[in-house]
């Protein structure tokens, strides 16, 4: 599939309780979407990503970890940075912003096996002053930026990592 083509579409028919159907329509209207399909596709993508975590614990996933924490809570930023260093292979980048009422928002771009990403979230939750941690994953990956190293005869080393 090239950048300018869209994947083929398939039709899905479903039956919902009337009140849930009305809530779905209200959400579609509130978000300004053209159809229910966009919301349903997003829900399915999220569910597929969660399923991939459960079914393939050795798979590599990309995603974000969103943190909310008290910025004035001692050395919290330093402790969070230490946790990121502990997971250097998984944390691709971080974006920090100060919020009102001495709170901070930090978003980490991450990639790795689900167990490592969940362990990172758990370690971040244990940092005193962290109020919220949320991991969102996708089965799509970041492209490999570097080729594995070559030996002196030009072949890739077995087990080399980029």
């Amino acid at each position: 599939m090239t950048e300018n083509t869209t994947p083929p579409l398939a039709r899905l028919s479903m039956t919902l309780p009337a009140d849930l159907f009305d809530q779905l329509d209200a959400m579609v209207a509130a978000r300004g979407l053209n159809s229910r399909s966009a919301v349903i596709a997003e829900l399915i993508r999220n569910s597929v990503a969660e399923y991939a975590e459960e079914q393939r614990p050795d798979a590599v996933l990309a995603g974000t970890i969103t943190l909310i924490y008290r910025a004035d809570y001692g050395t919290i930023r330093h402790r969070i940075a230490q946790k990121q260093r502990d997971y250097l292979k998984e944390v691709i980048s971080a974006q920090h912003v100060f919020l009102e009422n001495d709170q901070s928002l930090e978003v980490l771009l991450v990639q790795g096996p689900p167990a490592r990403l969940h362990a990172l979230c758990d370690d971040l939750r244990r940092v005193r002053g962290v109020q919220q941690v949320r991991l969102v994953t996708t089965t799509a990956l970041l492209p490999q930026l570097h080729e594995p190293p070559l030996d002196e005869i030009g072949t890739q080393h077995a087990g080399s990592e980029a």
Side-chain angles (χ1 to χ4, degrees), residues 55 66 114-115:
Q55 299 302 309
T66 303

Side-chain angles (χ1 to χ4, degrees), residues 12-56:
L12 169 70
S13 176
M14 59 190 307
T15 304
L16 298 171
D19 62 333
L20 185 58
F21 184 83
D22 293 340
Q23 291 173 14
L24 177 63
D25 276 349
M27 185 171 63
V28 168
R31 290 184 175 178
L33 300 172
N34 294 329
S35 70
R36 296 176 200 102
S37 295
V39 172
I40 293 170
E42 179 183 350
L43 294 171
I44 291 171
R45 278 187 207 99
N46 291 340
S47 188
V48 166
E50 287 177 18
Y51 181 77
E53 285 184 44
E54 296 166 5
Q55 299 302 309
R56 296 179 28 221

Side-chain angles (χ1 to χ4, degrees), residues 12 29-30 35 42 49 51 61 65 67 69 72-73 101 105-106 108 111 114 128 135 138 144 158:
L12 169 70
S35 70
E42 179 183 350
Y51 181 77
L61 304 175
I65 297 174
L67 301 162
Y69 58 90
D72 62 349
Y73 210 91
N101 301 322
L105 170 95
E106 191 151 344
L108 309 178
Q111 182 166 282
R128 183 177 290 248
L135 171 66
T138 180
Q144 183 175 342

Side-chain angles (χ1 to χ4, degrees), residues 67 69 75-88 91 94 106 108 120 124 127:
L67 301 162
Y69 58 90
T75 59
I76 190 166
R77 291 190 70 199
H78 177 72
R79 291 191 314 265
I80 288 171
Q82 285 178 322
K83 296 299 177 193
Q84 291 176 33
R85 278 193 302 273
D86 292 345
Y87 292 84
L88 197 57
V91 178
E106 191 151 344
L108 309 178
L120 171 56
L124 291 167
V127 174

Side-chain angles (χ1 to χ4, degrees), residues 92 111 142-148 162:
I92 308 300
Q111 182 166 282
L142 298 168
Q144 183 175 342
L145 300 177
H146 300 280
E147 293 296 321

